[in-house]
Amino acid sequence: MKKEIIIGISGASGVQYGIRILEAIKKMKDYETHLVISGSANKLIEIETDLSVSDVEKLGDHIYDDHDFTAPIASGSHRSMGMIIAPCSMKTLASIASGMSDTLISRAADCCLKEKRPLVLMARETPLNLIHVENMKKAMEAGASILPACPAFYPKPKTLDDIIDFMAGRALDLLDIEHNLYMRWRE
């Protein structure tokens, strides 16, 4: 039986992070993904990448509309290894921090929190205001991991893909998924 991971791509710049995570997991035989792309993320995929939304959806194993509350991942009884939201917009973060499950992405995140499953929020905003920071604190206190999209430069990235791979790898690290997307410290 494959291990299931929920991937949310919300409407913040940096959809490449979520796409790279999907690409990496697609190559792993023991995993399958449940993918939700927000309406705003659909637009950003077309603006920020050379891919179509259907190209990105092909990377997922199970695809859901962001308003489909009948999806299996809308229930805490559906088992998964956890969820990564990459990128995580401040709107999505605010919904999660306040417990307002108004989209499938925020509902699946809420299920991860209430079932004590890992939830990784790759926050994508700069600069931050106090409301953003307070929402991050609330989400962390509820059990989420906040992973700001702040790549390291010790691996000496040579391309934008190297930077994207570093962040995608760090997200997978937080779900304890083995990968070789980036060079670890002192390797």
Side-chain angles (χ1 to χ4, degrees), residues 120-152:
V120 178
L121 307 177
M122 189 182 291
R124 241 303 299 134
E125 185 62 83
T126 190
L128 299 171
N129 68 40
L130 186 56
I131 295 168
H132 301 150
V133 173
E134 287 174 352
N135 284 335
M136 288 180 191
K137 179 180 184 272
K138 285 168 64 175
M140 285 183 73
E141 288 173 343
S145 294
I146 305 297
L147 179 64
C150 300

Side-chain angles (χ1 to χ4, degrees), residues 73-95:
I73 61 173
S75 173
S77 67
H78 181 84
R79 293 184 165 250
S80 72
M81 287 186 59
M83 181 175 189
I84 299 170
I85 304 176
C88 182
S89 68
M90 294 300 105
K91 178 184 183 282
T92 300
L93 172 69
S95 293

Side-chain angles (χ1 to χ4, degrees), residues 53-91:
V53 172
S54 72
D55 291 333
V56 176
E57 288 176 338
K58 288 175 187 169
L59 296 170
D61 297 299
H62 307 277
I63 315 305
Y64 308 101
D65 181 88
D66 199 23
H67 299 288
D68 181 5
F69 289 91
T70 66
I73 61 173
S75 173
S77 67
H78 181 84
R79 293 184 165 250
S80 72
M81 287 186 59
M83 181 175 189
I84 299 170
I85 304 176
C88 182
S89 68
M90 294 300 105
K91 178 184 183 282

